[in-house]
Amino acid sequence: MSVQTTMSPEGWTPPACAALSRSLQEPLCGTAPRVRGWLLIEQPGPWGRDRLRQSRLDPVLGDALAARCADAGVRPVLIRTRERRDVAARRHVYLVRPGRADGWAERLLVRDDRELLDLDLDLSPGVGERLDPTESLFLVCTHGKKDACCASFGRPVVTGLGHRDGRVWESTHVGGDRFAATMVCLPSGIYYGRVTAEAAEHIVAEHDHGRVVLEHYRGRCTDDPVLQFAEHTVRVERSLLGLDDVIPLSATPRPDGDTDVLVRHPAGTDLVRVRTTSAEPRLTACSAGVVDSPDRFEAAPPPVRRSGS
């Protein structure tokens, strides 16, 4: 179990969390947080640290919306474009259930903010206009009040990508400050980390062609971290890049503490034995000076026990 404390010794300034993560060569795979559903709300900003209560939304509405999202297990995220549209008449809202074949995203236009409290957060489809599968959304975290690294690394990515017909959005915190710039592709639920403007162009192009970019791939928010790591291991071993080429099926704990993960791919199924340990305590978020001991994964040899060709 990891323990969080606050680092604030007098006269000492910690290094930026993203720079520290890079210097330690911290692996990206297996670091996507679990997210059951997403509620994306267009709000031009500025954004405070507490996205729903300090970002010019009615604070009473923000409190109620935060409670509803917490009860439903849905992640609320504020989004905006570089053009900073006026949302007085209407704001874009997206409901997203992440997934592979069963993932979907729907768009609504909200004219009265109180309508946000009437949204069906059980993630039943049919609430809004269904996005075409080719219209994936790309969120890039630029939430500087949450963590300065997100703004420093995220803004050049958004500037480089441009609006792309409403598919690219700046967003509040999505998880993993130290991996800035972070990008989430919806509705697939794929997370990327340490994204540069050049890499973002490549990621968007590959995603639109149904492929992942392993160099920046963190995993899918639909899977537990140990499954994400096993998926990544099979992708590397078998050189598989298709979005849905590799699907972790099950995880079975072993008496020795390792986990056996069964992974399906076009040629059959493989078994990956995953060992989980805790990394040394380190700064994982700048703004709160948070120290944590994140999980570290490795494949017990051989990395993949192959079945099929």
Side-chain angles (χ1 to χ4, degrees):
M1 179 181 296
S2 60
V3 178
Q4 294 187 349
T5 59
T6 301
M7 296 169 58
S8 56
E10 185 177 356
W12 180 72
T13 301
C17 63
L20 180 61
S21 180
R22 283 175 167 84
S23 69
L24 294 173
Q25 298 182 326
E26 184 178 4
L28 291 171
C29 60
T31 64
R34 284 296 303 270
V35 182
R36 172 183 173 269
W38 297 77
L39 173 61
L40 314 180
I41 303 169
E42 184 181 13
Q43 176 65 7
W47 297 331
R49 178 175 173 79
D50 187 327
R51 58 192 179 278
L52 293 182
R53 299 176 180 88
Q54 299 174 336
S55 300
R56 295 190 178 176
L57 289 171
D58 183 316
V60 175
L61 180 142
D63 279 337
L65 192 57
R68 285 205 64 217
C69 288
D71 289 343
V74 169
R75 185 171 200 133
V77 174
L78 301 184
I79 58 175
R80 66 190 178 201
T81 65
R82 298 296 291 175
E83 290 79 14
R84 306 294 172 91
R85 281 186 349 102
D86 181 7
V87 297
R90 61 183 186 177
R91 67 173 81 239
H92 287 85
V93 174
Y94 296 87
L95 278 170
V96 183
R97 186 179 73 183
R100 291 176 169 86
D102 59 347
W104 52 262
E106 294 186 346
R107 176 175 50 224
L108 306 89
L109 291 176
V110 172
R111 291 173 171 79
D112 185 332
D113 287 351
R114 289 172 295 184
E115 295 176 43
L116 294 171
L117 298 179
D118 297 327
L119 292 175
D120 178 10
L121 298 184
D122 290 334
L123 300 179
S124 299
V127 176
E129 173 194 2
R130 178 67 62 91
L131 296 190
D132 187 273
T134 62
E135 296 182 87
S136 294
L137 302 175
F138 301 97
L139 309 184
V140 180
C141 180
T142 60
H143 196 177
K145 288 293 178 67
K146 173 64 173 62
D147 197 292
C149 287
C150 295
S152 297
F153 290 97
R155 285 172 183 157
V157 171
V158 174
T159 300
L161 285 175
H163 189 54
R164 297 188 182 238
D165 297 322
R167 299 177 63 205
V168 175
W169 296 87
E170 294 185 58
S171 79
T172 53
H173 184 59
V174 294
D177 305 23
R178 66 192 187 278
F179 304 122
T182 56
M183 175 187 284
V184 184
C185 311
L186 296 174
S188 66
I190 289 175
Y191 267 70
Y192 287 103
R194 299 190 187 122
V195 178
T196 62
E198 181 180 7
E201 288 279 357
H202 182 53
I203 287 169
V204 169
E206 289 296 282
H207 192 88
D208 285 346
H209 284 91
R211 295 186 291 266
V212 301
V213 178
L214 286 180
E215 180 184 357
H216 298 276
Y217 190 63
R218 293 176 60 190
R220 287 189 189 243
C221 70
T222 52
D223 302 330
D224 286 329
V226 69
L227 300 182
Q228 297 172 28
F229 177 83
E231 177 206 341
H232 187 276
T233 301
V234 172
R235 284 187 178 279
V236 171
E237 287 287 316
R238 290 186 174 268
S239 301
L240 295 170
L241 299 179
L243 287 184
D244 297 329
D245 279 354
V246 183
I247 302 175
L249 300 176
S250 63
T252 304
R254 292 172 45 83
D256 59 7
D258 292 348
T259 304
D260 283 339
V261 181
L262 194 63
V263 182
R264 187 172 70 207
H265 52 81
T269 57
D270 289 340
L271 183 73
V272 181
R273 185 158 296 165
V274 182
R275 186 160 297 150
T276 305
T277 58
S278 293
E280 291 296 318
R282 65 188 62 170
L283 184 78
T284 57
C286 294
S287 57
V290 174
V291 174
D292 203 351
S293 299
D295 285 339
R296 180 174 57 194
F297 305 108
E298 60 181 344
V304 170
R305 292 155 178 82
R306 292 172 173 253
S307 66
S309 59

